[in-house]
Each structure stands twice: as C-alpha cells, then as structure tokens.
Amino acid sequence: EQGAPVAVTATNILTRLLRLQQITGGFIRPDEESERYEQISSAKLDALEDIIDTAISENKKLVVIAWFIPEIREICKMLDKKKIKYAHICGEVKDRAAEVDAFQNNPECMVFVGQLQTVSMGLTLTAASTMVFYSLSYNFADYSQAKARIHRIGQKNNCLYIHLVVKNTVDETVLKALEQKENIAAKMTDEMFMLADKLKELKERKAELAEETKKNNAEIEETEYKLSLEMASSETQSFNRSGTLFYLCTKLYASAVK
C-alpha cells in the first residue's frame, strides 16, 4: 500500500547502510530488484588513479581492496585503459594462485585488485608494501586479515594503508567502527600477553619450588641417614659397654666364689 510506514528492522537498516556505501563508491542500483548498477560518481576512482600513478612513478607495487564487484570492474577498466598490468581476485576468478604468482613474481605486474571477502585469508602479497582500501565492510575479521596480506614474513618495508573515505558519509562511520574494534582487539591481545607472561612466571616459580622441595627432601633424607648411623653406632657402643660390664661382673663373681 502506497504511503504505508516501513517497519524498522535490523535487515532494513543494514540494507540501507549497504546502499549508502555503494553510493560513496560511485554506484547505485536503480531499484531493489535490479542487478544492474549505474555509476553516479568517479570521485574515488579519480583519487585512486592519482595514487596508482604516484606509486608506479616510484616503481612501487600496489594492492587495492574493494568490497563491491562494480567497483572492482571499474578499477580494472581504468587499469586496462592506462595499459597497466595487474592481477585480480574476486568471487568469479578460479585460478587465484596464478594471479598471486603474477603479482609476486612478474616485475611488470604493478597492481593487485582484490575483493575484500576473497583476499582476507591465506594470500601473500608482500611484493607491495602499500594497500589502498577503496571500500570497507563492518566485518573487522575481513579488514584485519586483508591488512595482513602485505604485512607477512618476507616483507622488507614498512606497510602503508590508505583509506579512500568520502567526508561526512557512512564511510567515516564504518572506518571509525573498525578502528574501535581494532583498539579493542589490540587491548585484548595485550591483556592476553600479560596473562601469558604471568602464567610463565608462575610456571617458573613452580619449577623453582619443586627444585627447592627436591633439594630439601634430599637434605632431610641425608640427615635422617646420618642420624640412623649415629644411633646405630651409639647402640653398638652401648652394647659393647654392657658386654664389658657383664664380663667384669662375671669375673668378680667367680673370684668371690673362690
């Protein structure tokens, strides 16, 4: 019914946030049922192009991460137009290992374009030390794991992360939420390390006490052994004295009888 109020649900809110994020990326769906997207802005794409040009002029490779497929397609079109060789991974790419290998080992492959959800685990992209987030989701695990693709064993340079954020939009809200989650995760990690250190200290102290107890028990056993020897020696001496006394008494008795 036209004009009827729309129920406020978590699904509705998330859907609208999703649409707002798509708009900041420069795309919009004409209606909810359509799978087609229309480009309404190239602001982020223009900013990304400048970053890519600067990186290539310095002979540096670059990783670009985006959440939405239309964004990835437009980024790839821009790279094709500029005749820049690149590798990319999204849900529709089958041979991901070949794409990673090209980026890591082909000096002419300067840019890697990846979808946030598909590059968040297991990939090594250390040929680059700079990562650009074209768009983000609220999923901190995906964000954190994506960052780790260039910050891995084998990376020789400091890592730089660039976020393309449209001012006063949902982009700022998402990035702020991720930063808060990151701070909480860092705090929890620090606390876990502190607890691990305390546990290590307790284990070391326990081992020291066990060693001290073992040493004390050995000393007690040695003392008991020495005491037993002394008692045995004392008993022997007493027995010898008793024997001597008995012998003397016997001799005296014998003399008296005579």
Side-chain angles (χ1 to χ4, degrees), residues 20-197:
L20 289 173
Q21 286 182 271
Q22 290 169 343
I23 291 171
T24 63
F27 296 89
I28 190 171
R29 288 168 65 176
D31 55 71
E32 294 295 326
E33 288 73 27
S34 175
E35 293 297 325
R36 182 173 57 87
Y37 286 85
E38 295 179 359
Q39 186 171 4
I40 58 174
S41 172
S42 63
K44 275 192 179 183
L45 196 63
D46 294 340
L48 176 63
E49 186 174 357
D50 289 341
I51 294 170
I52 291 173
D53 288 343
T54 300
I56 291 178
S57 69
E58 297 173 354
N59 198 32
K60 293 181 179 179
K61 293 194 175 190
L62 193 72
V63 175
V64 181
I65 303 296
W67 188 15
F68 304 107
I69 292 295
E71 296 171 342
I72 292 173
R73 289 173 179 165
E74 286 303 314
I75 293 169
C76 291
K77 284 181 183 179
M78 179 262 289
L79 294 171
D80 287 331
K81 185 178 179 180
K82 296 174 72 67
K83 300 187 184 316
I84 297 173
K85 289 189 176 181
Y86 64 92
H88 83 289
I89 289 180
C90 57
E92 59 195 24
V93 175
K94 302 300 181 184
D95 194 351
R96 301 182 181 185
E99 297 294 318
V100 172
D101 182 69
F103 181 70
Q104 287 288 94
N105 301 308
N106 184 351
E108 295 183 354
C109 184
M110 297 299 293
V111 181
F112 182 94
V113 183
Q115 187 178 15
L116 181 62
Q117 303 92 313
T118 57
V119 302
S120 60
M121 293 293 286
L123 303 184
T124 297
L125 303 173
T126 50
S129 59
T130 301
M131 178 177 285
V132 180
F133 284 98
Y134 193 91
S135 55
L136 293 166
S137 76
Y138 279 98
N139 190 318
F140 175 73
D142 285 347
Y143 174 65
S144 177
Q145 287 298 322
K147 291 176 69 176
R149 297 313 96 209
I150 64 172
H151 193 266
R152 294 170 69 83
I153 295 175
Q155 180 57 264
K156 299 177 181 178
N157 302 308
N158 294 328
C159 293
L160 173 65
Y161 300 97
I162 301 171
H163 302 84
L164 297 182
V165 175
V166 179
K167 190 176 180 180
N168 297 326
T169 69
V170 68
D171 282 355
E172 291 184 336
T173 303
V174 174
L175 184 57
K176 184 177 180 180
L178 290 172
E179 289 174 344
Q180 289 175 343
K181 292 178 182 179
E182 191 168 32
N183 291 336
I184 292 172
K187 184 178 179 181
M188 291 178 65
T189 301
D190 290 342
E191 290 178 353
M192 288 177 64
F193 277 120
M194 289 177 61
L195 289 173
D197 289 340

Side-chain angles (χ1 to χ4, degrees), residues 185-251:
K187 184 178 179 181
M188 291 178 65
T189 301
D190 290 342
E191 290 178 353
M192 288 177 64
F193 277 120
M194 289 177 61
L195 289 173
D197 289 340
K198 288 182 179 180
L199 181 60
K200 182 180 178 181
E201 290 176 2
L202 288 173
K203 287 183 177 180
E204 291 175 350
R205 182 55 183 158
K206 182 179 179 181
E208 291 174 359
L209 290 173
E211 187 64 28
E212 290 176 3
T213 301
K214 183 179 178 181
K215 183 179 179 181
N216 290 337
N217 288 338
E219 291 177 354
I220 291 171
E221 290 177 359
E222 184 179 0
T223 301
E224 289 177 343
Y225 177 70
K226 289 180 179 179
L227 286 173
S228 64
L229 289 178
E230 290 177 2
M231 290 176 65
S233 176
S234 177
E235 289 176 355
T236 301
Q237 292 176 4
S238 297
F239 178 78
N240 289 338
R241 286 197 296 270
S242 298
T244 301
L245 181 61
F246 178 77
Y247 175 75
L248 292 174
C249 289
T250 302
K251 292 289 288 182

